[in-house]
Amino acid sequence: MHKMLTFPDQLRLINERSAAFRAAVAAAPSLDVQMPTHPERTLFDHVQHVGMGRRKAAAIVAAGPADAPPEESAWGGGTGAPREREALLAWWVESVEHLASVLRQAGPDRGCWTWWGDSPSPQTSGAWARRQLHEIAVHTYDVQLTGGAQQPIPEEIALDGFDDCQFTLCATTVPWPHDPAIVDYHATEGHSWRLRLSHDGAQVAHLTPAAGEDPDTTYASARGTASDLVLFFYGRIPLDSLKFEGDRRVFDQLAAWDPSV
């Protein structure tokens, strides 16, 4: 049975991944090095981008129920991040501590604006906490890669992270624009997901042996560690890094699909 992280787990792990992010930035040879996963950014640019994202998320949660996100004046600060390394690291810590404080005060059930309204994930502060954890985790990998010291995303984070990828980022009621397909994902840690793509959108379910699903109905499948599944989903590693079977074109179509357009 799939076990989701609790809200206290998410807050604890946001802090843990934030510390890993800080350590990777502190160990980098220069703030001017280019990001392998974002060649248009320097490491400084990346830290500023990710830190601003945490401040924006905090403002969204603090605002409560809304039809749109707050104006940038509510979270941008106007000046950006400081360029000196120690000051930048302190700014990063402050950004995440502010996010964690706002989430803690809100609790997991406060209604909030979200951009994933057509997915089954709730529009709550708890769902924002989940998103923030997994965004920080992937960006931590990005910074570690910059210094040549990348590490897998920790298992408990990665398993919940791929679940979030499927139910929040992939599941939608927007019609799938290609031939119907079924894609199975298998984490070597023992969890599996089934993605059904059709004119009804993208529907996700946990796949278990007890469900009696016929494996012959799948068009494609991919297997790897939970960390590798997450990194593949976010475009950090190629499909060839996983063990996959079936029609490769389905993965290419999924990567190119933007339901918001």
Side-chain angles (χ1 to χ4, degrees), residues 113-124 127-128 131 168-169 171:
W113 174 86
T114 72
W115 46 261
W116 55 81
D118 61 347
S119 85
S121 290
Q123 294 181 281
T124 62
W128 269 107
R131 281 272 69 238
T168 304
L169 304 184

Side-chain angles (χ1 to χ4, degrees), residues 118 169-172 174-175 256-261:
D118 61 347
L169 304 184
C170 195
T172 179
V174 176
W257 187 35
D258 183 356
S260 66
V261 176

Side-chain angles (χ1 to χ4, degrees), residues 22-32 43 82-91:
R22 183 194 184 285
V25 175
S30 168
L31 294 179
D32 295 324
L43 177 56
R83 289 192 168 271
E84 192 273 324
R85 191 187 303 240
E86 287 304 315
L88 178 65
L89 293 172
W91 178 88

Side-chain angles (χ1 to χ4, degrees), residues 6 10 16 36 46 75 105 151 164 169 188 215 225 232 238 260-261:
T6 66
Q10 291 160 352
E16 188 273 335
H46 191 67
W75 52 270
Q105 291 173 17
Q151 300 174 7
D164 182 55
L169 304 184
T188 56
T225 65
F232 162 70
S260 66
V261 176

Side-chain angles (χ1 to χ4, degrees), residues 11-242:
L11 295 182
R12 169 177 60 84
L13 293 168
I14 283 173
N15 181 66
E16 188 273 335
R17 284 294 87 192
S18 170
F21 183 99
R22 183 194 184 285
V25 175
S30 168
L31 294 179
D32 295 324
V33 65
Q34 285 187 307
M35 300 291 297
T37 54
H38 298 279
E40 75 283 3
R41 296 180 194 163
T42 64
L43 177 56
F44 169 81
D45 295 333
H46 191 67
V47 176
Q48 177 170 248
H49 172 81
V50 181
M52 285 296 186
R54 297 332 102 202
R55 291 170 181 245
K56 181 176 181 179
I60 289 170
V61 172
D67 295 327
E71 296 292 333
E72 186 174 350
S73 58
W75 52 270
T79 59
R83 289 192 168 271
E84 192 273 324
R85 191 187 303 240
E86 287 304 315
L88 178 65
L89 293 172
W91 178 88
W92 164 254
V93 170
E94 178 188 348
S95 300
V96 180
E97 286 181 345
H98 175 60
L99 168 66
S101 175
V102 169
L103 288 169
R104 194 175 297 109
Q105 291 173 17
D109 301 320
R110 175 184 289 177
C112 302
W113 174 86
T114 72
W115 46 261
W116 55 81
D118 61 347
S119 85
S121 290
Q123 294 181 281
T124 62
S125 48
W128 269 107
R130 192 185 200 200
R131 281 272 69 238
Q132 293 309 289
L133 168 60
H134 300 309
E135 289 187 11
I136 293 171
V138 172
H139 288 309
T140 297
Y141 172 87
D142 291 338
V143 179
Q144 291 172 340
L145 183 64
T146 299
Q150 66 271 25
Q151 300 174 7
I153 297 171
E155 180 180 318
E156 67 174 331
I157 299 176
L159 283 169
D160 191 75
F162 192 71
D163 197 74
D164 182 55
C165 286
Q166 292 304 292
F167 282 95
T168 304
L169 304 184
C170 195
T172 179
T173 56
V174 176
W176 172 245
H178 306 286
D179 292 337
I182 297 175
V183 181
D184 287 350
Y185 295 99
H186 305 286
T188 56
E189 293 87 350
H191 295 270
S192 297
W193 297 260
R194 171 158 289 183
L195 175 65
R196 295 180 181 272
L197 301 162
S198 71
H199 294 302
D200 294 326
Q203 300 172 328
V204 183
H206 295 125
L207 186 61
T208 65
E213 298 282 3
D214 180 1
D216 293 335
T217 62
T218 60
Y219 285 66
S221 66
R223 182 183 301 273
T225 65
S227 176
D228 281 348
L229 289 175
V230 170
L231 295 173
F232 162 70
F233 188 90
Y234 281 98
R236 269 49 176 189
I237 63 174
L239 179 61
D240 291 339
S241 298
L242 306 175

